[in-house]
Each structure stands twice: as structure tokens, then as C-alpha cells.
Amino acid sequence: MMGIKTLFLFLNKSTSILPLAIFRMAFGCLLCFSQIRFIYKGWIEACYILPEFHFTYQYFGWVKPFGLTTMYVIVILSAVSALCIGLGLLYRFATPLFFLSFTYLELIEKSWYLNHYYFVSLVAFLLIWVPAHRKYSLDAKIFSKIKIDSIPLWTIFIFQLQLAIVYFFGGIAKLKSDWLLEAQPLKIWLKTRTDIPILGRLFEYDITPYIFSWTGMFYDLLIPFLLWNRKSRPVAYIFVVTFHVLTYLLFNIGMFPWLMIAGSLIFITSEEWILLFKKLNIGVRSVANHTTLSTSQRSKKPILIIITFFFIIQLILPWRHFALTNNVLWTENGFRFAWHVMVMEKNGFTEFTVTNKDTNNRFTVYPSQYLSVIQEKQMSFQPDMIWQFAHYIRDIFEQKGISNIAVTVNSKVSLNGRTSRTYIDPEIDLLLIRSVDDIYDHIIKY
């Protein structure tokens, strides 16, 4: 009990609001840019409107897209609310609006799942519960009575912990023979980047992907602790910037590097920010930390309970695949929401056979007839999506008046450059598998 009390007192220790405000600005402005980029790239149509069928998440099959105009409105609202978070304008309305709109957009289509989209939703949820707008914001300018200098330490620590979870479990995911002993998939990816000036010549050497693999593993496992340590923090943040700029230049992973660079700012203390601002001749007044907080600033138990439950889930989810499968890269059972970042190169091929049980006639269904390019690619090596598409085929044939059918799949998958192998049992009628969880029992062992 003394340990819990000591931890509680530590997390409620008073600290400056400055690091949280800077984190809020960086996160909000970056996500506003990201959503505008989403519109500019034409991804609203490509992701939500053009596909005839959407791969939904388990338990979220009820989440569907609206029409084109409504989807544009939702993405624009998401961008505006992100900007309001960055500016600290109407923050208490903007944070839940951004969390709900962004998370809704991600739940529509599973084939677009990316770790950093998941990360954004988590951070957006956490922002709802902290007073990141009560200084260095438009809200504090307009409503001067809300302005405060100090906040509980936990309001900063929770974002540090969330970043640490991403990094640490990203490192755990790399503790595999493919990554460490075979340097896969970096051996595949780097060989395609030999055209890059200066660095490209290094990728011709066999040792290079091994250096990158081991460096990436140690980086992920150690960087949170180096960022937490005052003495190593300046060098650690240089590592963060260098590492993620390099990954951005070498690999097509979207906004993830910039989110991690911006997110890691939360580890920088107010004293360090003040020192930096003085060197840059930026006038920000240093605020001494107080030993006690006012009654209005003290942590409320319901909020702490919500946050505690949130992190219990975050610390459990990345381990679940160990209980579900002995090869998560092959089966992907428990792969999502576990920070398996850049750990595999996987390609597949699928074609479905529909057998009319009444006439014994057979029809071949090619996924490209109904799916977008990215949907077909992702579905070809993800069992739950193969199962979902089989049931969609059933719906198509039922609309044609053919209901007594069986659906089987011819699926071949290649993992990390190996020869393609049969993936799903080609004899099993996918329609007889009633639960998505049961499809994993019919994967051919690797």
C-alpha cells in the first residue's frame, strides 16, 4: 500500500504546463496537416466511397461510411478539430470531436489499418482528460480565468508512457529470428533502395540489413529510457530525429516518423524548453514548480480510474498473440494493436470457388472484381479478411437467388521472401466457419 501511495503522490506532483502545451500544439497541427493531406490525395473516395464492400473490425460491423458529401464533412471536421487542439481553441469540444471523428474513420475499413492511426486515436483519447489548453492557448487568451501554470505530473507522464509502450513493444516484436538472424524484411526492402544518393551504395552490402535490424531493435527497446533520463535526453532526441527521418526517406510509412518525432517532445522538461528558448531569444517566462496544487487542479478519482484502466488494456493487448499463436507473422492472430511495426514483408494470392450444392455447378470468384487494390492485397494474407470476403460472396450469390452454396479459397502466401505456401485449408467451406476467431484453426501450419 505504501508503494501505491508513493506512486500516487509522485504522479500528482506539481509540474509546469509548458511541455504538455507544446505537445498539444505539435500533435494538433500535425494531425490537421495529415487530414488535409488525406483529402488532397483523394483517399476519401478511394477508401470510403468507391469500394463496394468494407472489411470491418470484429464487434464494429455496424460502423459504415456515409455518402461522399457527409464523408467530406466528417474529414474536414476532423481536420478543423485537430487544428483547434493545436491552437488550444475550444479545446474541451475539439478533443472529443477529433477522437470520435478520427476513430470512426479508421473503423470503417480494416485494410487501411496502420499502427500510427491507432496511436493517434489513443493520444486523442488521452488528450480529452488533461488540461492542455489552460496556458499558451487561445482559450487562455479568451478566457483568462482558466489560465494555470502548474498541472499534475501524471498529465504529462501518461503521454510519455504511451510513447514508451509503442517503442518498447515495437522492440519486443523484433525479437524474432527473421528480424535478427535473417535481417528480414529489411534485406528485401533495402535492396530496392540502392538508387538513393550516398546511402544507396551501402545497401549493396550483405551486412547492411543486419546492422539496420539490430540497431532498430535496440533503438526501440532503449529509446524510452534514454528519453526519460535527463543526462541522455539531448542525445536521445537527436537519435529520435535521425532514426525517423531515415525511416521516412527509406520506407513508405506515411506520417508515422513525424508523429514519433513530435510525440517524443513530451519528454523534454520545462526547464530544458526555457533554456532552449533563451538561446533562441524567444520570450517564454520560466514557471517554478509548486509543491501543492489548488483544489481545482487536483486529480479527480474517476479520471484516474479511466486512465488506469486504459493503460491496463494497453499493457495487455501487445502480449495476447503469445497466447493465441506460435507464429504471429504467419497467422496474424493478435497482430493488430500490438505494435508490430515493419516486421514483415508478406504477399498473397487468393481465388475463391463457389459451389452450388443443388446443381454442383462451380464458379470462380476473383477478389479484384469487387475489391480495391489495397483491399485485395491486404485480404490475400489476412485470415479474418478472407473469411469476411467469403461471407460477402455468399451475400452476392443470395442476391442472385442462389443460396445453397459452399465457398472455398485457393490461397498462397509468401512471408519475408520465402516461397509461397498454401495458407488456408482449400477443402474447408468458409461459410461453415461461423466465428471469425475460428478461421485461424484452418491455417496451414508454417
Side-chain angles (χ1 to χ4, degrees):
M1 291 296 294
M2 286 298 295
I4 295 176
K5 184 177 181 181
T6 301
L7 178 62
F8 181 81
L9 292 173
F10 170 76
L11 292 177
N12 274 284
K13 181 182 176 182
S14 173
T15 191
S16 170
I17 195 175
L18 180 59
L20 182 60
I22 291 175
F23 177 82
R24 183 206 76 227
M25 297 176 203
F27 178 82
C29 293
L30 187 59
L31 264 298
C32 176
F33 171 79
S34 177
Q35 295 303 79
I36 292 173
R37 174 174 171 264
F38 195 89
I39 297 172
Y40 174 77
K41 294 276 189 177
W43 289 342
I44 294 178
E45 292 88 343
C47 183
Y48 307 126
I49 305 302
L50 296 180
E52 299 178 24
F53 170 73
H54 289 284
F55 292 99
T56 55
Y57 290 87
Q58 190 174 12
Y59 310 121
F60 290 92
W62 50 272
V63 179
K64 304 291 183 183
F66 294 97
L68 180 61
T69 301
T70 304
M71 293 309 298
Y72 263 96
V73 169
I74 292 172
V75 176
I76 290 171
L77 280 176
S78 180
V80 171
S81 58
L83 179 61
C84 287
I85 290 173
L87 299 175
L89 176 63
L90 301 176
Y91 177 85
R92 288 302 184 193
F93 295 99
T95 46
L97 178 59
F98 177 75
F99 167 71
L100 292 173
S101 59
F102 189 91
T103 303
Y104 161 73
L105 293 169
E106 301 319 309
L107 288 176
I108 292 173
E109 179 56 61
K110 186 160 48 179
S111 65
W112 283 63
Y113 170 83
L114 290 171
N115 284 286
H116 63 272
Y117 290 163
Y118 176 46
F119 173 72
V120 167
S121 286
L122 297 178
V123 171
F125 177 79
L126 292 175
L127 282 170
I128 295 173
W129 309 100
V130 299
H133 65 305
R134 297 188 66 176
K135 198 172 185 182
Y136 310 111
S137 68
L138 291 181
D139 280 350
K141 287 282 187 181
I142 299 170
F143 311 104
S144 57
K145 289 184 179 180
I146 72 167
K147 188 179 294 185
I148 58 175
D149 293 326
S150 300
I151 52 175
L153 180 60
W154 70 263
T155 60
I156 291 177
F157 178 75
I158 58 174
F159 296 102
Q160 295 175 340
L161 181 58
Q162 184 59 69
L163 262 292
I165 287 173
V166 175
Y167 277 127
F168 183 75
F169 283 109
I172 293 293
K174 293 176 175 64
L175 296 176
K176 295 179 174 64
S177 60
D178 270 21
W179 185 271
L180 299 177
L181 303 182
E182 303 293 335
Q184 292 287 16
L186 291 181
K187 188 180 291 184
I188 298 172
W189 295 342
L190 293 180
K191 288 292 186 182
T192 66
R193 305 312 309 269
T194 54
D195 59 326
I196 293 179
I198 303 175
L199 288 176
R201 295 185 62 182
L202 297 176
F203 303 151
E204 297 176 1
Y205 297 99
D206 292 338
I207 190 71
T208 303
Y210 289 93
I211 295 173
F212 274 63
S213 292
W214 282 81
T215 300
M217 181 269 293
F218 279 118
Y219 171 86
D220 283 345
L221 290 174
L222 298 178
I223 199 65
F225 306 102
L226 295 175
L227 287 168
W228 262 316
N229 185 277
R230 180 180 60 83
K231 293 182 178 179
S232 61
R233 188 178 299 119
V235 175
Y237 194 74
I238 292 174
F239 285 161
V240 168
V241 174
T242 304
F243 181 86
H244 287 295
V245 169
L246 190 59
T247 56
Y248 177 80
L249 294 174
L250 294 178
F251 311 114
N252 182 25
I253 52 176
M255 297 294 295
F256 184 75
W258 308 113
L259 282 168
M260 299 309 285
I261 290 172
S264 297
L265 293 172
I266 194 65
F267 288 92
I268 302 175
T269 66
S270 59
E271 292 80 12
E272 291 164 339
W273 278 118
I274 295 299
L275 182 61
L276 176 62
F277 290 150
K278 284 182 178 179
K279 290 182 178 180
L280 297 174
N281 292 319
I282 299 175
V284 176
R285 182 172 60 88
S286 178
V287 179
N289 291 341
H290 305 293
T291 55
T292 58
L293 296 168
S294 67
T295 302
S296 62
Q297 291 174 249
R298 290 173 187 166
S299 304
K300 297 177 176 61
K301 282 187 177 181
I303 294 177
L304 293 180
I305 291 172
I306 291 171
I307 298 297
T308 299
F309 184 68
F310 171 90
F311 278 107
I312 289 173
I313 295 174
Q314 286 303 301
L315 291 170
I316 291 175
L317 276 180
W319 297 106
R320 75 191 190 282
H321 69 86
F322 289 106
L324 297 173
T325 180
N326 60 0
N327 190 341
V328 67
L329 299 186
W330 181 248
T331 68
E332 301 210 24
N333 194 2
F335 184 87
R336 300 186 195 97
F337 314 114
W339 311 115
H340 289 89
V341 183
M342 299 179 63
V343 292
M344 69 176 182
E345 171 68 18
K346 206 172 181 185
N347 296 286
F349 164 82
T350 55
E351 64 177 12
F352 294 80
T353 299
V354 178
T355 302
N356 186 331
K357 293 181 180 180
D358 295 328
T359 64
N360 210 33
N361 290 335
R362 294 192 173 190
F363 311 89
T364 299
V365 176
Y366 298 99
S368 58
Q369 296 174 265
Y370 303 98
L371 303 179
S372 67
V373 173
I374 189 170
Q375 283 181 315
E376 182 181 7
K377 174 181 171 61
Q378 294 298 316
M379 183 271 293
S380 67
F381 54 78
Q382 298 190 54
D384 57 337
M385 295 173 70
I386 291 174
W387 179 84
Q388 283 181 292
F389 187 68
H391 283 71
Y392 176 62
I393 292 173
R394 177 201 61 192
D395 295 340
I396 292 173
F397 274 78
E398 284 183 348
Q399 291 173 8
K400 297 177 180 179
I402 306 172
S403 58
N404 190 21
I405 64 173
V407 178
T408 57
V409 63
N410 173 27
S411 56
K412 307 288 184 181
V413 171
S414 170
L415 174 62
N416 286 338
R418 297 180 179 88
T419 304
S420 294
R421 299 186 182 187
T422 301
Y423 195 48
I424 303 291
D425 181 356
E427 302 298 324
I428 188 70
D429 180 359
L430 298 174
L431 300 184
L432 297 179
I433 302 174
R434 298 302 180 185
S435 169
V436 66
D437 294 320
D438 296 332
I439 185 64
Y440 298 101
D441 296 331
H442 301 281
I443 298 175
I444 304 299
K445 288 185 178 181
Y446 190 69

